[in-house]
């Protein structure tokens, strides 16, 4: 029996009910949002269940939505069932004020550095991570450079209008 | 007791281990990796890798660039096989935009990607040889990397950071010389590879140096997120080319070589076996190309594919498209896409979130090296110092990809 997105969705809804939202399928990969409090429960469920078996974490990364008040920081997990070759994506969101998300390192060793990278770039504080410190940037850095409030170009420049170069307005992203 | 004994400093007898700082610019570390090793004599008690010395914030830069300007960034990830990264990125954009490429483009891409895989593997394997003290094999295969670089040069004009191809296909058609050189490579490389294998695979010194060094079980490898030859050496036959074929890989016959123990020797053997498979794939692609029209080298997508210069000067539509593409006025569709290709050292993934603007809202590279290196302390624990070096080279760590 091949594993369908429909079946995964039904199993998840059966287990977690209303807690999981925004189910959608784009380019063959199903994705949904989960509350950050139950990210490990969702992952463990997907890992353990005999008919799901999402036992490979492909990727973990952060995203920043500055306009999404109260849920500015997202963590995106890509899981993979290697036997049936089905991929799955789910996201949890946290606010900048309380960027605490439980670490997945107990379940997947691969989450270790990827969470450090996500912390380094977005300041997401992975609760329970064995060694949460910066990985690519220097330790002395006191900000999180991938957040949208840090533009790539010098904002004091007056000789260049961004509107002429594609991105709208004079504020760089 | 007499008082002629030397007075040792406080605690010096009790101290059993030494700290050794290997890298970041040590000649044997293949790039800027730092390892702080805790050594008990010659044995490694623990290793603490530090990365990030050439971190260039590609993901941040990509948030400001139109999609076609991101190709040069991908060149600088795994620079030993840059074309795979380029084409992987193009495939991601094509997936997002729903562009279907002609078969001939797919086959040409397959040829280029397999050539890139061979160059990557031959460098990695010959460097494992160098790290075990055998320089000869490195010299044998190096001239064939040179030949592949000449092929790249013939196709796109550059050699290392190729920037090969465009969204929708290639910038120009392959020349006759390119095909001649590919055929020359196919004719000559098998003998060299055979000789390279003869030099190493049953060599007693090489086997002693690599067997049982840096082993990892299939279970641990999966938990660590290993993919590519490093995972296959542990016995798991996962290959993106077979699991989720892209660029018409489903049209080709090839095997997935697997190892058993996941040690350095198996990683070496798997890479060697993969080179044979790649040669066979290239030959198949060359044969398939004979039945296809020879003038198709890109998809018909004028809004995304830069038009011919001649047309830009003479046709209004071409001029408009040219302007829009070059000025980054072409918006890409909103959406989220994760696309993976089988890079030379594992699953290379591109996670792209587009908000409909000219550049990605968020682009994340799933870099296989970054995933492997975190398993390194576990793999070298209890090994000798010289094993740590050879284990590192057998993981095929590329600093550019690790640090992004």
């Amino acid at each position: 029996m091949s594993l369908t997105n429909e079946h995964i969705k039904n199993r998840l809804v059966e287990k977690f009910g209303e807690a999981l939202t925004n189910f959608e399928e784009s380019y063959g990969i199903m994705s949904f949002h989960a509350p950050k409090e139950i990210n490990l429960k969702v992952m463990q469920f997907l890992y353990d269940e005999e008919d799901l078996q999402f036992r490979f974490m492909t990727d973990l990364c952060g995203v920043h939505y500055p306009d999404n008040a109260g849920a500015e920081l997202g963590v995106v997990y890509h899981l993979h069932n290697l036997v049936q070759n089905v991929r799955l994506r789910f996201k949890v969101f946290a606010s900048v004020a309380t960027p605490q998300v439980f670490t997945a390192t107990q379940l997947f060793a691969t989450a270790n550095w990827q969470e450090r990278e996500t912390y380094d770039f977005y300041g997401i504080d992975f609760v329970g991570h064995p060694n949460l410190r910066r990985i690519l940037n220097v330790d002395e850095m006191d900000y999180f450079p991938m957040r949208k409030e840090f533009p790539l170009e010098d904002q004091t420049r007056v000789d260049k209008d961004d509107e002429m170069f594609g991105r709208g307005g004079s504020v760089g992203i | 007791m007499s008082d002629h004994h030397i007075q040792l400093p406080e605690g010096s007898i009790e101290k059993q281990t030494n700290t050794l700082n290997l890298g970041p610019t040590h000649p044997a570390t293949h790039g800027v990796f730092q390892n702080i090793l805790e050594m008990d004599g010659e044995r490694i008690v623990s290793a603490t890798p530090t990365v990030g010395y050439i971190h260039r914030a590609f993901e941040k830069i990509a948030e400001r660039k139109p999609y076609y300007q991101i190709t040069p960034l991908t060149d600088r990830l795994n620079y030993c096989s840059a074309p795979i990264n380029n084409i992987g990125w193009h495939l991601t954009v094509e997936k997002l935009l729903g562009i279907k490429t002609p078969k001939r483009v797919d086959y040409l891409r397959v040829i280029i990607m397999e050539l890139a895989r061979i160059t990557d593997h031959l460098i990695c394997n010959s460097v494992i040889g160098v790290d075990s003290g055998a320089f000869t094999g490195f010299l044998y295969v190096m001239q064939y990397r040179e030949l592949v670089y000449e092929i790249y040069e013939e196709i796109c004009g550059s050699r290392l950071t190729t920037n090969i191809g465009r969204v929708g296909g290639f910038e120009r058609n392959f020349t006759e010389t390119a095909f001649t050189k590919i055929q020359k490579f196919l004719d000559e490389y098998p003998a060299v590879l055979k000789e390279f294998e003869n030099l190493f695979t049953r060599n007693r010194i090489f086997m002693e140096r690599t067997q049982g060094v840096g082993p990892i079980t299939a279970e641990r490898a999966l938990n660590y997120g290993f993919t590519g030859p490093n995972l296959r050496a542990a016995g798991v036959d996962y290959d993106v080319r077979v699991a989720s074929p892209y660029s018409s890989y489903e049209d080709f016959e090839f095997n997935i070589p697997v190892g058993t123990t996941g040690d350095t020797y198996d990683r070496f053997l798997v890479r060697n076996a993969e080179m044979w498979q790649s040669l066979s794939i290239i030959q198949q692609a060359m044969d398939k190309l004979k039945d296809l029209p020879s003038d198709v080298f890109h998809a018909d997508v004028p809004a995304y594919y830069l038009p011919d210069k001649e047309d830009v000067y003479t046709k209004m539509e071409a001029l408009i498209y040219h302007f829009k593409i070059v000025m980054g006025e072409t918006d890409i569709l909103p959406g989220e896409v994760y696309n993976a290709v089988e890079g030379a050292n594992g699953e290379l993934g591109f996670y792209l979130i587009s908000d409909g603007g000219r550049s990605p809202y968020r682009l994340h590279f799933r870099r296989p090296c970054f995933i492997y290196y975190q398993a390194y302390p576990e793999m070298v624990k209890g090994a000798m110092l010289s094993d740590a070096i050879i284990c590192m080279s057998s993981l095929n760590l590329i600093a550019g990809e690790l640090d992004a």
Side-chain angles (χ1 to χ4, degrees):
Chain A
M1 188 199 83
S2 65
L3 185 62
T4 59
N5 287 342
E6 192 62 38
H7 178 73
I8 304 165
K9 185 183 171 183
N10 290 341
R11 294 281 286 135
L12 284 164
V13 171
E14 197 180 294
K15 171 81 178 171
F16 296 100
E18 299 291 296
L20 308 182
T21 54
N22 293 56
F23 278 94
E24 60 182 25
E25 194 181 315
S26 64
Y27 303 95
I29 299 182
M30 189 178 74
S31 84
F32 61 88
H33 294 184
K36 66 171 185 172
E37 292 77 18
I38 62 163
N39 68 336
L40 291 187
K41 289 201 176 107
V42 172
M43 230 180 289
Q44 188 80 54
F45 177 75
L46 289 167
Y47 190 99
D48 286 341
E49 290 299 301
E50 275 307 309
D51 54 338
L52 300 176
Q53 293 195 38
F54 284 90
R55 291 180 183 166
F56 188 83
M57 178 182 271
T58 307
D59 191 30
L60 186 163
C61 68
V63 201
H64 187 211
Y65 294 99
D67 301 331
N68 198 359
E72 293 93 347
L73 299 169
V75 184
V76 185
Y77 301 91
H78 280 90
L79 302 178
H80 196 167
N81 176 335
L82 286 177
V83 181
Q84 308 253 15
N85 191 30
V86 178
R87 292 178 194 272
L88 178 74
R89 173 191 306 141
F90 82 96
K91 303 175 184 177
V92 301
F93 289 91
S95 70
V96 168
T98 53
Q100 279 80 21
V101 174
F102 294 114
T103 173
T105 43
Q106 294 300 318
L107 199 54
F108 296 106
T110 184
N112 190 319
W113 279 22
Q114 303 196 53
E115 285 180 353
R116 278 178 69 187
E117 192 193 28
T118 310
Y119 163 73
D120 190 354
F121 287 163
Y122 291 95
I124 293 162
D125 179 9
F126 288 95
V127 179
H129 191 285
N131 183 21
L132 194 65
R133 52 192 184 87
R134 288 182 185 274
I135 185 160
L136 293 175
N137 291 308
V138 290
D139 290 332
E140 299 81 53
M141 214 162 171
D142 56 359
Y143 59 97
F144 303 107
M146 283 286 282
R147 287 190 184 171
K148 294 283 180 187
E149 67 256 35
F150 301 107
L152 266 171
E153 290 185 7
D154 181 4
Q155 291 308 289
T156 57
R157 274 180 73 163
V158 288
D159 58 327
K160 186 180 164 195
D161 185 352
D162 272 351
E163 210 157 350
M164 304 293 178
F165 294 90
R167 280 270 185 208
S170 55
V171 181
I173 299 279
Chain B
M1 292 291 265
S2 70
D3 51 5
H4 296 296
H5 279 290
I6 301 160
Q7 287 294 306
L8 291 165
E10 190 73 25
S12 58
I13 294 292
E14 287 78 26
K15 188 168 159 46
Q16 295 290 321
T17 60
N18 296 301
T19 305
L20 181 71
N21 192 355
L22 186 69
T25 52
H26 192 277
T29 56
H30 301 235
V32 275
F33 313 122
Q34 185 190 28
N35 261 298
I36 301 163
L37 302 171
E38 191 190 352
M39 307 290 298
D40 177 8
E42 186 82 351
R43 263 187 208 289
I44 297 165
V45 179
S46 73
T48 314
T50 316
V51 301
Y53 288 95
I54 57 164
H55 170 52
R56 294 146 296 178
F58 280 170
E59 290 174 5
K60 185 82 179 172
I61 295 170
E63 290 177 9
R64 189 74 191 173
K65 296 236 181 254
Y67 59 89
Y68 72 95
Q69 284 185 3
I70 292 170
T71 318
L73 298 180
T74 65
D75 276 326
R76 285 146 184 84
L77 293 172
N78 183 350
Y79 38 75
C80 287
S81 52
I84 299 184
N85 309 341
N86 296 158
I87 294 171
W89 166 245
H90 296 145
L91 288 166
T92 310
V93 177
E94 284 166 15
K95 195 171 182 182
L96 185 76
L97 298 172
I99 296 174
K100 183 95 178 66
T101 45
K103 277 282 177 202
R104 185 163 188 269
V105 172
D106 289 349
Y107 295 154
L108 292 176
R109 281 180 170 173
V110 165
I111 292 176
I112 293 302
M113 283 194 277
E114 293 308 316
L115 282 173
R117 192 180 319 283
I118 292 175
T119 50
D120 194 285
H121 285 356
L122 70 83
I123 283 297
C124 179
N125 271 0
S126 59
V127 165
I128 297 175
V130 172
D131 283 344
S132 67
F135 190 55
T136 318
F138 185 75
L139 293 177
Y140 282 3
V141 295
M142 203 58 174
Q143 55 179 326
Y144 284 89
R145 187 181 83 152
E146 190 60 26
L147 178 55
V148 175
Y149 278 11
E150 278 178 30
I151 296 168
Y152 295 166
E153 197 175 7
E154 195 59 46
I155 291 160
C156 68
S158 54
R159 293 157 54 86
L160 185 73
T161 50
T162 51
N163 200 357
I164 216 165
R166 294 289 178 267
V167 171
F170 286 91
E171 183 225 346
R172 58 187 118 155
N173 205 349
F174 284 27
T175 58
E176 268 314 304
T177 323
F179 284 115
T180 317
K181 284 191 169 167
I182 294 169
Q183 198 53 55
K184 179 174 148 75
F185 182 81
L186 287 174
D187 294 341
E188 291 179 11
Y189 189 60
V192 176
L193 184 54
K194 189 89 206 96
E195 199 162 4
F196 181 76
E197 279 187 336
N198 288 342
L199 192 62
F200 285 107
T201 40
R202 304 305 299 165
N203 181 319
R204 181 44 59 190
I205 300 170
F206 185 73
M207 287 164 82
E208 295 283 341
R209 285 294 311 275
T210 52
Q211 282 181 338
V213 169
I216 189 158
T217 60
E219 197 178 35
R220 285 307 286 161
L222 285 170
N223 200 252
Y224 266 117
F226 276 38
T227 46
N230 295 344
L231 177 66
R232 291 194 282 273
V236 183
D237 63 343
Y238 173 66
D239 188 318
V240 187
R241 289 176 292 175
V242 176
S244 15
Y246 52 92
S247 200
S248 296
Y249 264 111
E250 65 274 17
D251 296 357
F252 297 90
E253 295 277 325
F254 60 100
N255 300 324
I256 309 177
V258 288
T260 45
T261 55
D263 61 6
T264 301
Y265 187 63
D266 270 13
R267 284 191 282 273
F268 177 87
L269 292 186
V270 164
R271 286 205 179 86
N272 261 347
E274 273 189 25
M275 284 197 262
W276 290 107
Q277 297 300 324
S278 294
L279 283 169
S280 142
I281 294 173
I282 298 171
Q283 188 61 62
Q284 290 174 45
M286 291 286 276
D287 293 343
K288 283 176 197 291
L289 281 180
K290 291 192 180 111
D291 309 330
L292 294 168
S294 62
D295 56 345
V296 182
F297 59 96
H298 63 87
D300 185 22
V301 279
Y304 306 108
Y305 183 85
L306 211 59
D308 202 40
K309 211 63 178 174
E310 193 58 39
D311 291 346
V312 176
Y313 293 138
T314 50
K315 292 182 184 142
M316 196 61 210
E317 285 75 25
L319 177 65
I320 293 168
Y321 284 132
H322 183 274
F323 178 83
K324 288 188 94 164
I325 294 170
V326 169
M327 293 309 288
E329 291 279 311
T330 321
D331 286 350
I332 47 178
L333 295 170
E336 270 179 53
V337 57
Y338 176 83
N339 185 48
V341 294
E342 180 71 26
N345 54 355
E347 177 174 331
L348 175 70
F350 297 88
Y351 174 49
L352 167 67
I353 303 181
S354 162
D355 62 351
R358 70 200 272 262
S359 38
Y361 186 80
R362 170 83 168 104
L363 176 63
H364 180 71
F365 302 115
R366 191 243 186 225
R367 316 183 299 278
C369 291
F370 187 69
I371 311 276
Y372 301 143
Y373 199 31
Q374 46 187 329
Y376 183 71
E378 196 173 302
M379 293 167 86
V380 299
K381 195 169 185 173
M384 310 287 267
L385 178 59
S386 55
D387 296 343
I389 302 291
I390 205 161
C391 174
M392 183 188 274
S393 55
S394 75
L395 281 175
N396 198 1
L397 299 172
I398 310 287
E401 186 171 280
L402 190 83
D403 290 351

